[in-house]
Amino acid sequence: MTHDPSSLARIGRVISRHRYYGMSVALLLVGLLFLVAAALLLYVVMQVRHGNLSMSDPTLIARSMAGSAAIGVSLILLGLWAHQTCWTLAEHGVACHKGGKIQTWRFDEIVETSRRYRQNLALVAVAWRGRGDGSWISVNARLSDFRRFHNALTAANTAARTPWLLDRLHRGEALDFVEWPEGVSSAMTTDFGTTMDALAAKSRPAVRLTRDSLAMGDRHVELAAIDERDVPDTWAKPVVHLRLRDGSTALTLGYQRIIDFPLLMALVETMASRARAKPVEAVPFA
């Protein structure tokens, strides 16, 4: 990640721009309602002062008026600030424009990604961490054209990281993928990045991938034996089944809590395909 405004050139041609229109409009409307309430209360206070209306404790109304006005102004300012926040999707990365500052992340500099779902199916947020970043950054489904933004980021980051990770696997290295703990609500999170700062610190190794096999706890499967992956159409369990040629399930992976799950699946499918394509060595007769 970089804060240099000139760094927009680093991420190439702009593809699309995205804003939190829904959030900013809602804040502006609610803020306006509070200002209307403050105006009505002001009218009541003025009537009391002119003797047209009697009230035992007019200071309560005056305080309510001041509170409503303060809340209304704060919400309107927050709505204007939210509207100024803009995300740019480009050929080689993404950028955030906020408060006159620009932050950029190249796809090949993103080292971790995570996703959050509502009711285990509806994608509501994506978070990532760039090389050298101390904290996670995120966008949620309130962002305009969120799916396009997410799909482009996921595809480009997976394409950028897959080749050198495949090279590590072919050299005999093992890759560990971690998962964050259970019991975390899957409801909409406005700032999933902050949530991930806490979850990532509690994550633990969940899946180990090698050149020939995939292991999860005490379960182990040879990549050459994997025939397909199956995603059940159910909200109860957010899982992916890796099936063998006979249709039986070799491993079941929870896609919601494993960090970099799309990358893991890309590596598994590539390595499994290569393992199945290996020629069988002929055994000479004695």
Side-chain angles (χ1 to χ4, degrees):
M1 177 192 72
T2 178
H3 297 264
D4 182 5
S6 63
S7 63
L8 279 176
R10 298 173 64 247
I11 60 175
R13 178 179 57 88
V14 172
I15 297 174
S16 57
R17 299 190 187 277
H18 308 257
R19 296 180 185 272
Y20 287 106
Y21 289 114
M23 181 185 298
S24 60
V25 170
L27 289 171
L28 290 172
L29 289 177
V30 174
L32 183 60
L33 288 176
F34 271 97
L35 289 182
V36 170
L40 292 175
L41 291 172
L42 175 62
Y43 173 77
V44 172
V45 170
M46 296 302 295
Q47 291 298 310
V48 171
R49 288 182 177 178
H50 287 87
N52 298 327
L53 185 66
S54 61
M55 184 169 294
S56 58
D57 187 11
T59 58
L60 178 62
I61 299 296
R63 290 173 181 174
S64 299
M65 175 198 68
S68 296
I71 293 174
V73 170
S74 298
L75 289 174
I76 288 175
L77 291 176
L78 185 60
L80 293 173
W81 174 82
H83 184 72
Q84 290 177 352
T85 301
C86 175
W87 283 91
T88 296
L89 173 65
E91 280 182 303
H92 307 302
V94 296
C96 178
H97 309 252
K98 181 190 298 184
K101 297 180 180 179
I102 301 176
Q103 296 173 285
T104 59
W105 294 263
R106 282 182 58 90
F107 296 129
D108 56 6
E109 294 173 348
I110 294 175
V111 295
E112 287 182 300
T113 65
S114 186
R115 287 145 192 84
R116 196 156 200 180
Y117 298 82
R118 181 172 52 207
Q119 296 178 340
N120 295 332
L121 284 178
L123 179 67
V124 295
V126 59
W128 65 90
R129 188 175 63 82
R131 187 178 300 116
D133 285 351
S135 301
W136 289 69
I137 191 73
S138 68
V139 297
N140 61 53
R142 296 189 181 100
L143 189 71
S144 62
D145 211 355
F146 168 72
R147 272 288 182 177
R148 179 183 186 183
F149 186 97
H150 165 268
N151 292 346
L153 185 147
T154 299
N157 179 245
T158 299
R161 296 168 63 191
T162 296
W164 68 273
L165 289 177
L166 287 174
D167 184 60
R168 288 178 57 186
L169 289 170
H170 283 298
R171 292 201 306 265
E173 295 183 40
L175 302 179
D176 289 320
F177 288 80
V178 302
E179 65 178 358
W180 35 273
E182 292 182 292
V184 179
S185 171
S186 60
M188 169 71 79
T189 301
T190 301
D191 190 355
F192 184 40
T194 300
T195 303
M196 278 306 304
D197 286 337
L199 293 178
K202 301 176 183 178
S203 62
R204 57 181 178 81
V207 180
R208 169 162 288 194
L209 177 64
T210 68
R211 180 170 50 195
D212 302 309
S213 65
L214 182 68
M216 186 174 184
D218 57 355
R219 290 168 292 174
H220 175 278
V221 61
E222 295 295 322
L223 294 176
I226 298 175
D227 187 54
E228 65 176 0
R229 66 170 174 167
D230 174 38
V231 183
D233 185 16
T234 173
W235 61 267
K237 292 183 178 181
V239 297
V240 170
H241 298 306
L242 298 181
R243 301 196 184 279
L244 305 179
R245 290 187 179 89
D246 61 4
S248 61
T249 300
L251 280 179
T252 299
L253 305 174
Y255 60 77
Q256 180 168 227
R257 295 188 296 115
I258 296 179
I259 294 177
D260 279 328
F261 188 80
L263 178 63
L264 170 62
M265 286 295 93
L267 293 171
V268 168
E269 290 180 353
T270 300
M271 296 300 291
S273 177
R274 293 180 181 180
R276 290 193 300 268
K278 285 182 179 179
V280 179
E281 294 184 3
V283 179
F285 290 101

